[in-house]
């Protein structure tokens, strides 16, 4: 079995406290080290470093995918099926404004997946997806 290799991603934000509330309180990410200029999160086993740098923020350009406008610059996580559905319900209950509402893509086809897109408080686009069959993650 392949060893898990977590990734690291640093990205710009406007405000530490808004970011902490979103990633820790809403998404459930554990907080790591922080200062008044950056904060680290355990993002589903990966290290995110959010840096206060508003001048680096820009609205992501989109591509049309399945008739929906998907932000090209985005990040996220692939969750277990039940966990993805639980998160989708939690986000809906918290009145999250979705870029792409939670739905099933490629239903009944190779690569069938649940997906949703939304923004963090700084406007960074996130995608969360799930596969009932994890072997389909890289299916063609």
């Amino acid at each position: 079995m392949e060893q898990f290799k977590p990734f690291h991603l640093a990205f710009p934000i406007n405000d530490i406290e808004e970011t902490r509330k979103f990633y820790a309180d809403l998404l459930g990410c554990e907080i790591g080290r922080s200062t008044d200029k950056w904060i680290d999160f355990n993002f589903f086993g990966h290290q995110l470093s959010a840096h206060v740098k508003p001048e680096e923020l820009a609205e992501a350009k989109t591509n049309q995918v399945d008739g929906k406008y998907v932000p090209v610059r985005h990040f996220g996580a692939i969750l277990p099926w039940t966990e993805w559905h639980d998160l989708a319900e939690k986000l809906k209950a918290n009145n999250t404004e979705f870029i792409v509402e939670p739905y099933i893509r490629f239903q009944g086809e190779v690569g069938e997946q649940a997906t949703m897109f939304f923004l963090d408080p700084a406007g960074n686009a996130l995608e969360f997806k799930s596969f009932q069959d994890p072997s389909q993650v890289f299916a063609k």
Side-chain angles (χ1 to χ4, degrees):
M1 184 162 164
E2 189 174 320
Q3 179 183 350
F4 176 69
K5 298 173 186 160
F7 71 83
H8 165 78
L9 175 69
F11 62 101
I13 59 169
N14 292 319
D15 179 90
I16 290 281
E17 187 56 25
E18 278 185 338
T19 301
R20 184 201 63 73
K21 286 179 184 174
F22 179 83
Y23 286 91
D25 297 348
L26 182 59
L27 297 183
C29 300
E30 181 181 330
I31 297 173
R33 291 180 299 272
S34 67
T35 71
D36 61 337
K37 297 289 182 192
W38 57 267
I39 184 169
D40 285 346
F41 297 98
N42 177 345
F43 185 75
F44 305 91
H46 304 282
Q47 184 190 42
L48 288 188
S49 293
H51 293 262
V52 177
K53 208 63 162 162
E55 63 272 21
E56 290 289 324
L57 292 166
E59 187 175 333
K61 305 294 184 221
T62 61
N63 269 344
Q64 195 168 0
V65 179
D66 295 345
K68 296 164 178 47
Y69 290 93
V70 171
V72 173
R73 190 182 63 250
H74 65 271
F75 66 91
I78 299 173
L79 303 177
W81 193 256
T82 302
E83 194 174 329
W84 183 91
H85 283 83
D86 290 346
L87 178 60
E89 290 307 313
K90 182 177 184 181
L91 292 169
K92 288 177 188 175
N94 279 277
N95 300 314
T96 299
E97 186 175 323
F98 291 95
I99 298 168
V100 175
E101 294 276 339
Y103 81 110
I104 307 300
R105 236 181 132 205
F106 308 124
Q107 196 158 14
E109 300 175 28
V110 172
E112 180 178 330
Q113 60 191 263
T115 187
M116 60 181 148
F117 284 83
F118 52 94
L119 302 176
D120 75 5
N124 296 297
L126 289 96
E127 176 185 21
F128 283 82
K129 49 173 63 180
S130 183
F131 296 80
Q132 282 198 43
D133 178 356
S135 73
Q136 296 287 299
V137 171
F138 297 107
K140 294 181 182 181

PDB file of all heavy atoms in Angstrom, residues 27 56 74-75 80 123 137:
ATOM      1  N   LEU A  27     -15.405  24.049   8.909  1.00  0.00           N
ATOM      2  CA  LEU A  27     -14.881  22.845   8.250  1.00  0.00           C
ATOM      3  C   LEU A  27     -14.282  21.831   9.222  1.00  0.00           C
ATOM      4  O   LEU A  27     -14.038  20.690   8.845  1.00  0.00           O
ATOM      5  CB  LEU A  27     -13.834  23.228   7.194  1.00  0.00           C
ATOM      6  CG  LEU A  27     -14.337  24.074   6.026  1.00  0.00           C
ATOM      7  CD1 LEU A  27     -13.210  24.318   5.026  1.00  0.00           C
ATOM      8  CD2 LEU A  27     -15.543  23.437   5.350  1.00  0.00           C
ATOM      9  N   GLU A  56      -2.827  40.015  -2.667  1.00  0.00           N
ATOM     10  CA  GLU A  56      -2.633  38.817  -3.491  1.00  0.00           C
ATOM     11  C   GLU A  56      -3.959  38.174  -3.914  1.00  0.00           C
ATOM     12  O   GLU A  56      -3.978  37.274  -4.737  1.00  0.00           O
ATOM     13  CB  GLU A  56      -1.805  37.776  -2.737  1.00  0.00           C
ATOM     14  CG  GLU A  56      -0.355  38.152  -2.535  1.00  0.00           C
ATOM     15  CD  GLU A  56       0.441  38.114  -3.832  1.00  0.00           C
ATOM     16  OE1 GLU A  56       0.184  37.237  -4.684  1.00  0.00           O
ATOM     17  OE2 GLU A  56       1.304  38.978  -3.998  1.00  0.00           O
ATOM     18  N   HIS A  74      -8.535  26.640  -7.616  1.00  0.00           N
ATOM     19  CA  HIS A  74      -9.251  26.172  -6.433  1.00  0.00           C
ATOM     20  C   HIS A  74      -8.457  25.033  -5.792  1.00  0.00           C
ATOM     21  O   HIS A  74      -7.535  24.503  -6.384  1.00  0.00           O
ATOM     22  CB  HIS A  74     -10.674  25.713  -6.776  1.00  0.00           C
ATOM     23  CG  HIS A  74     -10.748  24.519  -7.662  1.00  0.00           C
ATOM     24  ND1 HIS A  74     -10.759  24.602  -9.040  1.00  0.00           N
ATOM     25  CD2 HIS A  74     -10.816  23.191  -7.378  1.00  0.00           C
ATOM     26  CE1 HIS A  74     -10.832  23.399  -9.563  1.00  0.00           C
ATOM     27  NE2 HIS A  74     -10.876  22.513  -8.568  1.00  0.00           N
ATOM     28  N   PHE A  75      -8.817  24.700  -4.573  1.00  0.00           N
ATOM     29  CA  PHE A  75      -8.244  23.555  -3.879  1.00  0.00           C
ATOM     30  C   PHE A  75      -9.324  22.941  -3.022  1.00  0.00           C
ATOM     31  O   PHE A  75     -10.407  23.495  -2.881  1.00  0.00           O
ATOM     32  CB  PHE A  75      -7.008  23.938  -3.043  1.00  0.00           C
ATOM     33  CG  PHE A  75      -7.294  24.863  -1.883  1.00  0.00           C
ATOM     34  CD1 PHE A  75      -7.584  24.350  -0.627  1.00  0.00           C
ATOM     35  CD2 PHE A  75      -7.271  26.240  -2.048  1.00  0.00           C
ATOM     36  CE1 PHE A  75      -7.840  25.199   0.443  1.00  0.00           C
ATOM     37  CE2 PHE A  75      -7.526  27.097  -0.984  1.00  0.00           C
ATOM     38  CZ  PHE A  75      -7.805  26.576   0.257  1.00  0.00           C
ATOM     39  N   PRO A  80     -14.395  10.758   2.273  1.00  0.00           N
ATOM     40  CA  PRO A  80     -15.240   9.564   2.199  1.00  0.00           C
ATOM     41  C   PRO A  80     -16.688   9.979   1.917  1.00  0.00           C
ATOM     42  O   PRO A  80     -17.119  11.082   2.286  1.00  0.00           O
ATOM     43  CB  PRO A  80     -15.102   8.942   3.594  1.00  0.00           C
ATOM     44  CG  PRO A  80     -13.803   9.466   4.111  1.00  0.00           C
ATOM     45  CD  PRO A  80     -13.674  10.857   3.548  1.00  0.00           C
ATOM     46  N   GLY A 123     -12.467  34.715  -0.423  1.00  0.00           N
ATOM     47  CA  GLY A 123     -12.780  34.514  -1.827  1.00  0.00           C
ATOM     48  C   GLY A 123     -11.983  33.413  -2.497  1.00  0.00           C
ATOM     49  O   GLY A 123     -12.040  33.263  -3.720  1.00  0.00           O
ATOM     50  N   VAL A 137     -10.848   7.603  -8.574  1.00  0.00           N
ATOM     51  CA  VAL A 137     -10.301   8.954  -8.492  1.00  0.00           C
ATOM     52  C   VAL A 137      -9.546   9.348  -9.758  1.00  0.00           C
ATOM     53  O   VAL A 137      -9.697  10.456 -10.269  1.00  0.00           O
ATOM     54  CB  VAL A 137      -9.388   9.127  -7.246  1.00  0.00           C
ATOM     55  CG1 VAL A 137      -8.646  10.449  -7.277  1.00  0.00           C
ATOM     56  CG2 VAL A 137     -10.217   9.007  -5.971  1.00  0.00           C
TER      57      VAL A 137
END
